[in-house]
Amino acid sequence: MPSYSIDGVIPVVDPSAYVHPTAVLIGDVIVGPRCYVGPCASLRGDFGRIVLEEGSNVQDHCCIHGFPDSDTVVEVNGHIGHGAILHSCIVRRDALVGMNAVVMDEAEIGEKAIVAACAFVPAGMKVPARSLAAGIPAKVKRELSDDEIAWKLEGTHTYQALTVRSLASLREVEPLSSVEKDRPSLPATDVRSLIATKRG
């Protein structure tokens, strides 16, 4: 992956993590064990430190950055959806930030909390543990159910499995010109959409 030092500080990637070759890591970035960093993600540690703790994932087109002398942290099993932006904030253990959401400076997403897709979490907001925050600006809507928390963890486990699959088999190739006979299917997973989970 494109990886750059700045002022002599070099990114760190645990050997059990997977960082896509199109993701960019700059400076004081620490990617912990079993993490997944998706295509075109930008982790720019040229001011403050960026830390991804064990088992967390940062999906396609996410942007993570921070102010000088501040850490931006995604704790264990943190789950950052496609296109989300994190800036000088903390995402606590087992929390989820939804697709295209923005989490601003000194905000804190509590343990096992969920930030809805496209939400804007303003600077300094503290989202309580096990709660749902949604809207622009984000407001705490309600407490999460045990089923919703289990659904989130299931999704995170799927990304941890994707880390293993990617390390083992993801390779750059030339595309085929036509669909081959007996084209293989990808392995099935047990993950269901949140809508399907709510329907039971």
Side-chain angles (χ1 to χ4, degrees):
M1 88 287 308
S3 185
Y4 304 91
S5 68
I6 188 166
D7 298 330
V9 180
I10 301 172
V12 176
V13 178
D14 187 272
S16 65
Y18 178 79
V19 179
H20 191 273
T22 61
V24 178
L25 309 182
I26 298 173
D28 198 0
V29 176
I30 301 170
V31 178
R34 301 189 309 124
C35 291
Y36 175 89
V37 179
C40 300
S42 174
L43 283 67
R44 188 158 64 87
D46 49 11
F47 291 159
R49 176 172 292 172
I50 296 167
V51 179
L52 306 184
E53 294 187 358
E54 182 171 3
S56 60
N57 67 80
V58 172
Q59 298 170 20
D60 326 51
H61 297 280
C62 289
C63 177
I64 304 181
H65 190 242
F67 283 122
D69 301 320
S70 70
D71 292 352
T72 304
V73 180
V74 180
E75 291 189 347
V76 174
N77 289 344
H79 193 106
I80 313 302
H82 315 289
I85 298 173
L86 306 182
H87 201 274
S88 291
C89 60
I90 297 178
V91 177
R92 293 292 182 199
R93 184 185 188 104
D94 287 311
L96 180 150
V97 175
M99 301 177 202
N100 286 318
V102 176
V103 184
M104 290 298 294
D105 314 304
E106 299 183 23
E108 183 176 325
I109 310 305
E111 185 172 327
K112 298 183 181 177
I114 292 178
V115 174
C118 297
F120 179 81
V121 178
M125 182 176 182
K126 309 299 183 194
V127 176
R130 296 179 60 97
S131 64
L132 172 67
I136 305 174
K139 297 188 184 310
V140 176
K141 300 297 185 179
R142 59 177 174 81
E143 187 173 327
L144 293 169
S145 69
D146 289 342
D147 285 346
E148 288 168 321
I149 291 170
W151 166 83
K152 181 272 166 196
L153 186 58
E154 186 178 85
T156 301
H157 286 161
T158 300
Y159 267 91
Q160 291 165 354
L162 179 58
T163 297
V164 174
R165 290 172 55 207
S166 297
L167 287 169
S169 69
L170 195 146
R171 304 289 181 267
E172 186 171 3
V173 297
E174 290 295 323
L176 301 173
S177 58
S178 61
V179 178
E180 68 270 50
K181 185 180 179 182
D182 300 323
R183 182 174 176 83
S185 297
L186 292 170
T189 70
D190 294 329
V191 172
R192 297 185 296 167
S193 72
L194 185 57
I195 292 172
T197 299
K198 287 182 174 179
R199 286 176 183 152

